[in-house]
Structure formats: C-alpha cells, structure tokens
Amino acid sequence: MTTIRAVEVHDVRFPTAAAGDGSDAINRGDYSATYVELLTDGPLVGAGFTFTNGRGNELTCAAVRALAPHVENRSIEEIAAEPVAFWRSLTADPQLRWLGPEKGVIHMATGAVVNAVWDLRAKAAGLPLWQLLAEMPTDELVANVDFHHITDALMPDDAVAILDKGRHGYAERLAQVRGDGFPSYTTSVGWLGYPDDKVRDLTRAAYAEGWRAMKMKVGGDLEDDVRRARIIREEIGPDALLMMDANQVWDVDEAIAAMARLAEFDPYWIEEPTHADDVLGHARIQRAVAPVRVATGEVAANRVIFKQLLQADAIGVMQIDACRVGGVNEVLAELLLAARFGVPVCPHAGGVGLCELVQHLAFFDYLRVGTSLEGRMVEYVDHLHEHFVDPVRTRGGRYLLPTEPGYSATMKPSSVAEFSFPEGPVWR
Amino acid sequence: MTTIRAVEVHDVRFPTAAAGDGSDAINRGDYSATYVELLTDGPLVGAGFTFTNGRGNELTCAAVRALAPHVENRSIEEIAAEPVAFWRSLTADPQLRWLGPEKGVIHMATGAVVNAVWDLRAKAAGLPLWQLLAEMPTDELVANVDFHHITDALMPDDAVAILDKGRHGYAERLAQVRGDGFPSYTTSVGWLGYPDDKVRDLTRAAYAEGWRAMKMKVGGDLEDDVRRARIIREEIGPDALLMMDANQVWDVDEAIAAMARLAEFDPYWIEEPTHADDVLGHARIQRAVAPVRVATGEVAANRVIFKQLLQADAIGVMQIDACRVGGVNEVLAELLLAARFGVPVCPHAGGVGLCELVQHLAFFDYLRVGTSLEGRMVEYVDHLHEHFVDPVRTRGGRYLLPTEPGYSATMKPSSVAEFSFPEGPVWR
C-alpha cells in the first residue's frame, strides 16, 4: 500500500517572455508550471503539473490546494480500484464544479493532481507511464475512463473493442518504436517574436538536424505571415511539411480568407484557426480549407469539446494536451474518441514539460489505441527540458521511448527552488 | 472625471448547504459572492460580483486580484470612450488568457470586475443600469460589444439595425413595465433536497401568491422526478407553466429518454439537459423533445457557446447569466445574438444577487433589444435579498422596475462583514 499523505504545490515560472520565445498571435508568456508533489508514507513521490503562461499561475496553484482534500490520505491501490469515482471526486465536487464545469483553472488544476497520481502509480509499478497503460488489461483501462457525457459518441463496449484490437501486433509495434522512436515536428523556427533572419537561420538549422515537419505561427499581419511562410518553404523545399498555427486569433470568415491566401505554401494543417470553443466554426473552416487539415485541441477544455469536434467532422488532426484537461483519465477518453472516429492524434507540446508528458501518451496511443503512425507527429519545442530529471530524448527529429519509471514529470529540486515565484533567486 | 483608485475584493459566503436550499442534481453549495468594490477618487464606489457555490470562492477572488492592474488608475470616462479595448485588456491579457480562454474562474472574475465598472458608470450617470443602457445611443451601445469570434453570426451592422428598431415604441414599453413589471417564475418550490410534503406546500403557497410558472429540479432518480412533477402539476393545474431543470446530469440519450417519460406533465422547457459545453448534444435533444423547449445558459462559458447554440437551433429559450460571462459587455453581445436568431431570453437568477442584476438586463432587453414579453420570464428565487442595499421588488410574480442609480449590486456592509470567509462571525 502506498498512501498519499500530503499535496505540495510549487508556483514555478521561467522568464521566457523577454526572449520572445513562445510568442504567438495572442500569448506572450513566462512559461510556468503549477508543480504538484504527492508525498506518501513510503519513499515514492508523485509528480505532476499543469502548464500556464506566467501571471495567474497562482490561481491554478490555489485550485490544487482546494482539490487536495480529495487526494490526501488515499492510497493508490484504492484509487486504482475505483478510478472514475476518484476522478469525479475532483471534477464533480458539488461546490468546486461551479467554477468550471470541467474547464479553465479548476480543470487544469485537476489535471495537475491527476497527472501526479498517475506518475505515482507508474513509479509504484516500476514502469514508464506509456508501458503501464499499454500493457494494462482492457477492462482495467476502460474502468479508468469516465464515459459521462460522451456515450452518444463512445460507449464502453466501443472502448473495449478498440483496446482489444490494440493488443494485436503490439510486440511488433513496440520493437519498431524502440528502434525508430516516434515522429515529431518542431515549432522552434517560427514564433511571431522572431525576425525574418532568425526564422531563416532556425529553419535551415532544423532541416539540417533532420526535421522534415515545421510549424510557424500565423495570425499577425497577413503579409508578414505570407513572407515568413515563403522563407520557410524556400528553406525546407516542397516535400517537407509546413504547419501553420493561428492561436485562435481569426474569426471564422477571416480564417477562411487568410487560408485562401496562404494556400500557395501548401500548408499541411491550420491549427487553432478560431476560438477554441467554436465547434461549428471549426467545422465550417474545415469544409472551406480542405484538403488542408484543421487541427486543434491544446485549449479544448474537455472531452465534450473533442467529442463534438469529431462528431461535426471539424478536424483532420486532433491535438490532445496533457495538462489542459483532467489528466491521464480524460486523455484516455480522448484517445479512444479519436480512434473511434479515425482521426489521427498529434499531441500539443512545448511550454514547460509538455514534451515530457505527451511522449508517453503518443507511444501509448500508437501501441494500443490508434495503432498507426500515419499522420502522427508529436510537437517538439527545444525549451526548458534541462529542468527535468528524465527529459525527452530525440534523434533525427524523433522522440525516443522513455525508459524510467513514472510520467517523466519530476522536476529537478534545484530548478524548482531557483524559479519558484516570487521567492526564487530568478524572481527576487 | 471619476478615476478608479483601488480594487477591493471580499470573499462572502452564506451557509446555505446545510438547509438543502439550492441543491440539485449536481450542486450542493454555500451560496457565495466574489464581491468587488471599485474605490474611486470621488464619493462613488462601484460594486460588482460573481456568484460561486462556496468552496473555491477564494479562486475567483484571487483572479480578481490578478486582473486588478487593468482597472486601477483608469477613469470611467476613458473606459467608456474605448470600451472594447478595456474589455480585451481583461479577456485577452496575454498571460492570463491561457487560464480560460474566456471561461471558468478567470472569466467569472472578469465578469465581477466588469459588472462593478458598469455599476460605477450607472451611478455616475445617476441612472439605474437598465435605463443607462436602454437610453444609450445606438452607436455607443454597439461600441461596447466585442464582436470578435461572433461575426459569422452577428455583424456590427446587424446590431445597429436591432438597436435602432428598438427605439420604436420605447415609451410605450417603458410605461407598460413601469405599471406591470416583468414576468417571472419561481424556483423555490422544487429543489431536490426538499421532501414531497414541502414541495406540495411550497407549490400551493407560491400559486396562492400569484405565481403561474414554476420550476422543479429533475435528474435524480427518474421515478422521484415523476412523483414530484405529479405533485406540482396537481397543485398548479393544467394552465400554469411547469419548467424542469436537470443541471447537466444526463447524457444525451438519457435526456431524450427521461423527457419522453416526463412529457405527460407537459413541461414548458427542459433546462440544462446535458453538459453545458455540448452544443451538438443540445441540438439533438431539442429535435427529439420538441415542442418542449430546450433551455440553457447559466453555465454557458461565453458568447461563442451561445452563438453556436443559436446557430445549431439547439435552444428554444436562452438563459443568460449576469456573472458567468465577462459582465455587461458580453451580455450585450448575447442579447443581440438572441434577437438576431429570434430566441426569447429568460435570464438565470437565484444564487446570491443574481435576481438583483438580471432584472436590469431583462428590462433593457425588453425595452431596446428583444422588444417583446412573449415567452420572457426572469427566474426568481426568494433567497438572500436582504443582504442588498437595493433588493429586487416583486408583486404578484412580477419584477418591478428598479429605480436607484447603479446595477443593484451593492451589498450591505454589515452583511459583507458578517459573512466574510473565513473571518466573519458566521464562519468563525
């Protein structure tokens, strides 16, 4: 038995805004983490976090404290035995639910806590999270999914069928990714804050390193977008993939018009063309810009939004996020929904530690749920990995399979101390 | 000139959970307010709030503190001159936006702040808020609406046409509501926490007081719902309206099945039949349960959700909330959207002070936007009005027109002191 005795939360912020890293059409942030440690009655510590953009990280930290009573003094065995009851104790708390429901600050904090619980479960099992999940019996995996409000799209029997099918060919797929890793793409080349020369240099360097899929930010001045797209396409040639990301800045008709102009650069997808809540808007845009794919998800509040994006044929690429929603349990629901609708999952990463987390989800998806690499890529941003005990490893533009027990969520104590807000040396 | 010098926020909580008041299928709360006071360089104080359900009210309070720098040292004249720029300084803050966007804790806090600004504007004008709005020139009203992400449903020109049309017959409508007030319905009879006898007694008393529209909570055990619906229908006869409210507890197919069973009691609407984010689900339910109307909105995160509910023909009644969204500016957008799609608005009220706020919005809607009372009712719950300086006044089941300057949002200092959490005498 491993029992959680205390929930500690750290407000960790990295001063990235000044450098222009991570700037896009609407965000200019100090990449931050609401970092949660679950202290237990044994040697194990569960680590989890949600990602925020700087100011306001104190809100998700406070929300973790509000949720902590649902976690303290519970054993991971008890949680694993009734995982949906545990998950709902957080998401359907009869007072806290009003603050969402299942969205924004309270849901992101739920994600941080739930992720820490899964890190602890994986550490207790002595397995990396992807492996704990990928080798879990079907009925146990299904028991971790809350089907509430998605049964019109995915029933438990559907999930069983998908996960049972995912057992076939498992060993071959595992051998393949052990050797080759998982495809990824880079977003480090085209932030809006970067001047043209820097975009060209970074693109050239990334291509030389082996990247064949790159993402640029759009949604500022359209002629700037055109000029930067031209630079990147010149550098990567006609065959590499160029993705575009508008970070929700456009209205629906504006998105359709802008993509008509940007089509000459053969974008592979347009990401977040409009407001994250606008399912019908995404559907209209998808119809208008095809064969360019609409991609979204990093700000999709929960499984109910993803369900609708799939039902409405609004997306060609589904971008799960490890921290925006209610942690691993809700991501399981989302991966199953994507498989049910036959839409490839390309996880959102970057920020603080998102690469570390989503690699586990992507490998699990390939090994047991989606079972294909076609159209699958994990985002990769080369920021802040040095603060993690078990950082991502890449080779030639591919993520390598994590091998350490847990969810790769543990930050170095020295980094937590140095970047804690407001008392850490960086912020004093 | 009136300049805001400081933002004070109070965590005010009323211990309502113990009494079973306000209990429904998913909420059991201590009705609470994140109460904001804008202190100025003059004698005026702007008051505003958002409503929460108890625990977690400290999060919306902290979010108000995070937003305060956008308000401090700004004059109401400057805000009134560029209202959308001001509104976006709150909703599109490049770091805080990540915590929503435009949803949950950060957006509810925005609502509290923006409501306080409007209270201040109305007090400075010496007018009740409904009158400030209803008599505002069309171009000034339109300038207060952020059309971002809704232009595919409502363009500024559409808003101008609606508001100009709303000037015709204004004097007659005003004379009418001055005499007769605004229709309302009561939710005080059928909370899930109440035993059958209490439901029957309350229903009988409400009918005797003149109420001809009553709402019950459903979504617990279906046979309990049937029994309670029968009691209420017996008491109110065939002609009075019976509304049902499931507070999002059902899945889509479950909602359709439950309403087939409850149809014998001739419900006027089914409110929140499923998850608040599920536009497509509401649309399916609306098609299945017609002619019963689907109603929702108290937890609709923002204007983008309302836009889609209207675009998808998912609702027959639109229930705006004064505090869930980004305050009066966003409610303006929502009222205009409802008028554009021809759907009647029946504001959500109850909680703490929601009746006090939404009466202004309902009167404004009738006088200048929707211009009809057909199918319009404001919710009324007889709780906690005694804590407000300018409480709602009703007669024979109708709201009377507010007459005091402001948004009726000011709480009595003695109530703020007594119910402040955790230091007030009630909580010590």
Side-chain angles (χ1 to χ4, degrees), chain B residues 12 15-16 26 29 41 47 58 70 74 85 89 118 139 161 172 218 234 258 304 312 323 325 329 340 352 390 400:
Chain B
V12 182
T16 51
I26 52 166
D41 54 1
E58 74 278 12
H70 294 305
R74 303 197 64 169
S89 73
W118 279 96
D139 58 349
E172 292 76 9
V218 296
E234 281 170 7
V304 177
C323 295
V325 301
N329 298 73
R340 175 100 171 115
V352 179
D390 178 28
L400 302 182

mmCIF file of all heavy atoms in Angstrom, chain B residues 12 15-16 26 29 41 47 58 70 74 85 89 118 139 161 172 218 234 258 304 312 323 325 329 340 352 390 400:
data_model
loop_
_atom_site.group_PDB
_atom_site.id
_atom_site.type_symbol
_atom_site.label_atom_id
_atom_site.label_comp_id
_atom_site.label_asym_id
_atom_site.label_seq_id
_atom_site.Cartn_x
_atom_site.Cartn_y
_atom_site.Cartn_z
ATOM 1 N N VAL B 12 -17.326 36.440 0.229
ATOM 2 C CA VAL B 12 -18.551 36.431 1.037
ATOM 3 C C VAL B 12 -19.290 35.109 0.809
ATOM 4 O O VAL B 12 -19.574 34.757 -0.339
ATOM 5 C CB VAL B 12 -19.465 37.614 0.645
ATOM 6 C CG1 VAL B 12 -20.718 37.633 1.507
ATOM 7 C CG2 VAL B 12 -18.705 38.935 0.755
ATOM 8 N N PRO B 15 -24.044 30.294 4.471
ATOM 9 C CA PRO B 15 -24.079 28.847 4.766
ATOM 10 C C PRO B 15 -25.411 28.217 4.388
ATOM 11 O O PRO B 15 -26.208 27.846 5.242
ATOM 12 C CB PRO B 15 -23.829 28.808 6.272
ATOM 13 C CG PRO B 15 -24.333 30.118 6.779
ATOM 14 C CD PRO B 15 -24.171 31.116 5.675
ATOM 15 N N THR B 16 -25.667 28.082 3.075
ATOM 16 C CA THR B 16 -26.954 27.576 2.596
ATOM 17 C C THR B 16 -26.981 26.067 2.411
ATOM 18 O O THR B 16 -28.060 25.471 2.310
ATOM 19 C CB THR B 16 -27.303 28.217 1.234
ATOM 20 O OG1 THR B 16 -26.185 28.067 0.344
ATOM 21 C CG2 THR B 16 -27.607 29.698 1.387
ATOM 22 N N ILE B 26 -26.499 18.135 -9.216
ATOM 23 C CA ILE B 26 -25.035 18.095 -9.116
ATOM 24 C C ILE B 26 -24.422 19.151 -8.219
ATOM 25 O O ILE B 26 -23.217 19.135 -8.004
ATOM 26 C CB ILE B 26 -24.376 18.222 -10.494
ATOM 27 C CG1 ILE B 26 -24.912 19.438 -11.236
ATOM 28 C CG2 ILE B 26 -24.524 16.965 -11.312
ATOM 29 C CD1 ILE B 26 -24.073 19.789 -12.425
ATOM 30 N N GLY B 29 -24.431 23.712 -2.509
ATOM 31 C CA GLY B 29 -23.480 24.781 -2.254
ATOM 32 C C GLY B 29 -23.799 25.680 -1.106
ATOM 33 O O GLY B 29 -24.926 25.765 -0.633
ATOM 34 N N ASP B 41 -11.578 58.168 -6.791
ATOM 35 C CA ASP B 41 -11.097 59.438 -6.214
ATOM 36 C C ASP B 41 -12.254 60.347 -5.823
ATOM 37 O O ASP B 41 -12.033 61.484 -5.401
ATOM 38 C CB ASP B 41 -10.168 60.145 -7.204
ATOM 39 C CG ASP B 41 -10.815 60.347 -8.562
ATOM 40 O OD1 ASP B 41 -11.998 59.953 -8.737
ATOM 41 O OD2 ASP B 41 -10.146 60.885 -9.456
ATOM 42 N N ALA B 47 -19.815 48.627 -7.397
ATOM 43 C CA ALA B 47 -19.944 47.297 -6.800
ATOM 44 C C ALA B 47 -20.298 46.278 -7.876
ATOM 45 O O ALA B 47 -21.099 46.554 -8.778
ATOM 46 C CB ALA B 47 -21.023 47.308 -5.717
ATOM 47 N N GLU B 58 -12.434 31.503 -3.076
ATOM 48 C CA GLU B 58 -11.125 32.153 -2.938
ATOM 49 C C GLU B 58 -10.393 32.210 -4.286
ATOM 50 O O GLU B 58 -9.520 33.075 -4.475
ATOM 51 C CB GLU B 58 -10.266 31.441 -1.876
ATOM 52 C CG GLU B 58 -9.669 30.086 -2.279
ATOM 53 C CD GLU B 58 -10.629 28.911 -2.142
ATOM 54 O OE1 GLU B 58 -11.844 29.152 -1.942
ATOM 55 O OE2 GLU B 58 -10.177 27.754 -2.244
ATOM 56 N N HIS B 70 -5.453 46.008 -14.469
ATOM 57 C CA HIS B 70 -6.065 46.516 -15.696
ATOM 58 C C HIS B 70 -7.138 47.565 -15.412
ATOM 59 O O HIS B 70 -7.637 48.205 -16.339
ATOM 60 C CB HIS B 70 -6.685 45.375 -16.496
ATOM 61 C CG HIS B 70 -5.681 44.402 -17.035
ATOM 62 N ND1 HIS B 70 -4.618 44.790 -17.813
ATOM 63 C CD2 HIS B 70 -5.556 43.060 -16.879
ATOM 64 C CE1 HIS B 70 -3.898 43.725 -18.133
ATOM 65 N NE2 HIS B 70 -4.436 42.669 -17.577
ATOM 66 N N ARG B 74 -7.644 53.832 -13.894
ATOM 67 C CA ARG B 74 -8.333 54.158 -15.139
ATOM 68 C C ARG B 74 -9.611 54.926 -14.791
ATOM 69 O O ARG B 74 -10.284 54.633 -13.803
ATOM 70 C CB ARG B 74 -8.671 52.893 -15.921
ATOM 71 C CG ARG B 74 -7.406 52.083 -16.211
ATOM 72 C CD ARG B 74 -7.605 51.074 -17.280
ATOM 73 N NE ARG B 74 -7.905 51.696 -18.569
ATOM 74 C CZ ARG B 74 -7.921 51.056 -19.726
ATOM 75 N NH1 ARG B 74 -7.623 49.778 -19.767
ATOM 76 N NH2 ARG B 74 -8.211 51.672 -20.847
ATOM 77 N N ALA B 85 -11.581 47.981 -26.016
ATOM 78 C CA ALA B 85 -10.155 47.928 -25.655
ATOM 79 C C ALA B 85 -10.011 47.616 -24.169
ATOM 80 O O ALA B 85 -9.164 46.808 -23.763
ATOM 81 C CB ALA B 85 -9.480 49.253 -25.991
ATOM 82 N N SER B 89 -8.526 44.154 -22.483
ATOM 83 C CA SER B 89 -7.369 44.176 -21.568
ATOM 84 C C SER B 89 -7.566 43.128 -20.475
ATOM 85 O O SER B 89 -6.598 42.581 -19.954
ATOM 86 C CB SER B 89 -7.174 45.575 -20.975
ATOM 87 O OG SER B 89 -8.170 45.879 -20.002
ATOM 88 N N TRP B 118 -19.613 48.800 -14.623
ATOM 89 C CA TRP B 118 -20.929 49.264 -15.106
ATOM 90 C C TRP B 118 -21.769 49.844 -13.975
ATOM 91 O O TRP B 118 -22.526 50.794 -14.172
ATOM 92 C CB TRP B 118 -21.666 48.134 -15.825
ATOM 93 C CG TRP B 118 -21.180 47.973 -17.235
ATOM 94 C CD1 TRP B 118 -20.243 47.099 -17.688
ATOM 95 C CD2 TRP B 118 -21.581 48.750 -18.374
ATOM 96 N NE1 TRP B 118 -20.040 47.272 -19.044
ATOM 97 C CE2 TRP B 118 -20.856 48.273 -19.489
ATOM 98 C CE3 TRP B 118 -22.489 49.781 -18.565
ATOM 99 C CZ2 TRP B 118 -21.009 48.812 -20.767
ATOM 100 C CZ3 TRP B 118 -22.649 50.318 -19.838
ATOM 101 C CH2 TRP B 118 -21.912 49.838 -20.921
ATOM 102 N N ASP B 139 -24.964 53.842 -31.543
ATOM 103 C CA ASP B 139 -23.544 53.652 -31.857
ATOM 104 C C ASP B 139 -22.712 53.446 -30.588
ATOM 105 O O ASP B 139 -21.724 52.708 -30.584
ATOM 106 C CB ASP B 139 -22.994 54.806 -32.710
ATOM 107 C CG ASP B 139 -23.173 56.147 -32.029
ATOM 108 O OD1 ASP B 139 -23.900 56.225 -31.014
ATOM 109 O OD2 ASP B 139 -22.587 57.143 -32.508
ATOM 110 N N ALA B 161 -28.975 47.659 -36.590
ATOM 111 C CA ALA B 161 -30.366 47.522 -37.054
ATOM 112 C C ALA B 161 -31.288 47.110 -35.906
ATOM 113 O O ALA B 161 -32.388 47.654 -35.745
ATOM 114 C CB ALA B 161 -30.426 46.502 -38.190
ATOM 115 N N GLU B 172 -43.857 53.460 -24.978
ATOM 116 C CA GLU B 172 -44.995 52.612 -24.624
ATOM 117 C C GLU B 172 -44.541 51.416 -23.787
ATOM 118 O O GLU B 172 -45.168 51.053 -22.791
ATOM 119 C CB GLU B 172 -45.698 52.098 -25.895
ATOM 120 C CG GLU B 172 -46.410 53.167 -26.715
ATOM 121 C CD GLU B 172 -45.473 54.044 -27.540
ATOM 122 O OE1 GLU B 172 -44.263 53.742 -27.626
ATOM 123 O OE2 GLU B 172 -45.950 55.064 -28.100
ATOM 124 N N VAL B 218 -34.884 18.194 -11.764
ATOM 125 C CA VAL B 218 -35.001 16.778 -12.115
ATOM 126 C C VAL B 218 -33.586 16.224 -12.296
ATOM 127 O O VAL B 218 -32.604 16.957 -12.166
ATOM 128 C CB VAL B 218 -35.822 16.571 -13.418
ATOM 129 C CG1 VAL B 218 -37.251 17.032 -13.229
ATOM 130 C CG2 VAL B 218 -35.168 17.287 -14.602
ATOM 131 N N GLU B 234 -50.428 18.711 -10.111
ATOM 132 C CA GLU B 234 -51.717 18.644 -9.392
ATOM 133 C C GLU B 234 -52.035 19.990 -8.742
ATOM 134 O O GLU B 234 -53.169 20.456 -8.767
ATOM 135 C CB GLU B 234 -51.666 17.573 -8.295
ATOM 136 C CG GLU B 234 -51.840 16.146 -8.785
ATOM 137 C CD GLU B 234 -51.529 15.118 -7.695
ATOM 138 O OE1 GLU B 234 -51.313 15.517 -6.515
ATOM 139 O OE2 GLU B 234 -51.481 13.925 -8.025
ATOM 140 N N ALA B 258 -35.502 10.355 -20.650
ATOM 141 C CA ALA B 258 -36.151 10.884 -19.443
ATOM 142 C C ALA B 258 -37.274 11.846 -19.816
ATOM 143 O O ALA B 258 -38.358 11.836 -19.204
ATOM 144 C CB ALA B 258 -35.121 11.580 -18.557
ATOM 145 N N VAL B 304 -19.406 32.750 -27.469
ATOM 146 C CA VAL B 304 -19.143 31.794 -28.552
ATOM 147 C C VAL B 304 -19.993 30.538 -28.382
ATOM 148 O O VAL B 304 -20.464 29.953 -29.362
ATOM 149 C CB VAL B 304 -17.638 31.451 -28.625
ATOM 150 C CG1 VAL B 304 -17.363 30.397 -29.690
ATOM 151 C CG2 VAL B 304 -16.825 32.720 -28.906
ATOM 152 N N ALA B 312 -27.122 26.334 -34.185
ATOM 153 C CA ALA B 312 -27.492 24.919 -34.327
ATOM 154 C C ALA B 312 -28.958 24.660 -34.019
ATOM 155 O O ALA B 312 -29.369 23.495 -33.978
ATOM 156 C CB ALA B 312 -26.610 24.071 -33.398
ATOM 157 N N CYS B 323 -23.243 36.860 -14.355
ATOM 158 C CA CYS B 323 -21.928 36.734 -13.703
ATOM 159 C C CYS B 323 -21.020 35.681 -14.319
ATOM 160 O O CYS B 323 -19.823 35.691 -14.069
ATOM 161 C CB CYS B 323 -22.122 36.378 -12.236
ATOM 162 S SG CYS B 323 -22.952 37.680 -11.313
ATOM 163 N N VAL B 325 -20.319 35.071 -17.496
ATOM 164 C CA VAL B 325 -19.547 35.587 -18.632
ATOM 165 C C VAL B 325 -18.859 36.893 -18.229
ATOM 166 O O VAL B 325 -18.886 37.294 -17.067
ATOM 167 C CB VAL B 325 -20.453 35.771 -19.865
ATOM 168 C CG1 VAL B 325 -21.091 34.440 -20.252
ATOM 169 C CG2 VAL B 325 -21.514 36.831 -19.621
ATOM 170 N N ASN B 329 -20.786 43.852 -20.901
ATOM 171 C CA ASN B 329 -20.403 43.935 -22.315
ATOM 172 C C ASN B 329 -20.704 42.642 -23.057
ATOM 173 O O ASN B 329 -21.221 42.656 -24.178
ATOM 174 C CB ASN B 329 -18.909 44.261 -22.463
ATOM 175 C CG ASN B 329 -18.569 45.594 -21.857
ATOM 176 O OD1 ASN B 329 -18.538 45.715 -20.625
ATOM 177 N ND2 ASN B 329 -18.354 46.608 -22.675
ATOM 178 N N ARG B 340 -31.153 38.458 -32.929
ATOM 179 C CA ARG B 340 -30.853 38.136 -34.321
ATOM 180 C C ARG B 340 -31.457 36.795 -34.722
ATOM 181 O O ARG B 340 -31.922 36.627 -35.851
ATOM 182 C CB ARG B 340 -29.329 38.111 -34.493
ATOM 183 C CG ARG B 340 -28.819 37.677 -35.829
ATOM 184 C CD ARG B 340 -28.421 38.854 -36.693
ATOM 185 N NE ARG B 340 -27.744 38.424 -37.895
ATOM 186 C CZ ARG B 340 -28.240 38.597 -39.125
ATOM 187 N NH1 ARG B 340 -29.394 39.222 -39.293
ATOM 188 N NH2 ARG B 340 -27.583 38.192 -40.168
ATOM 189 N N VAL B 352 -26.641 34.263 -5.212
ATOM 190 C CA VAL B 352 -26.504 35.492 -4.430
ATOM 191 C C VAL B 352 -26.630 36.662 -5.397
ATOM 192 O O VAL B 352 -25.771 36.834 -6.265
ATOM 193 C CB VAL B 352 -25.136 35.586 -3.738
ATOM 194 C CG1 VAL B 352 -25.032 36.908 -2.959
ATOM 195 C CG2 VAL B 352 -24.903 34.410 -2.812
ATOM 196 N N ASP B 390 -30.241 47.600 -2.401
ATOM 197 C CA ASP B 390 -31.356 47.896 -3.297
ATOM 198 C C ASP B 390 -31.908 46.582 -3.843
ATOM 199 O O ASP B 390 -31.710 46.246 -5.006
ATOM 200 C CB ASP B 390 -30.844 48.806 -4.441
ATOM 201 C CG ASP B 390 -31.920 49.139 -5.450
ATOM 202 O OD1 ASP B 390 -33.115 49.162 -5.075
ATOM 203 O OD2 ASP B 390 -31.566 49.384 -6.623
ATOM 204 N N LEU B 400 -40.542 44.401 -10.306
ATOM 205 C CA LEU B 400 -40.819 45.826 -10.519
ATOM 206 C C LEU B 400 -39.549 46.538 -10.981
ATOM 207 O O LEU B 400 -38.431 46.136 -10.645
ATOM 208 C CB LEU B 400 -41.361 46.447 -9.232
ATOM 209 C CG LEU B 400 -42.637 45.771 -8.688
ATOM 210 C CD1 LEU B 400 -43.132 46.475 -7.433
ATOM 211 C CD2 LEU B 400 -43.734 45.738 -9.765
#
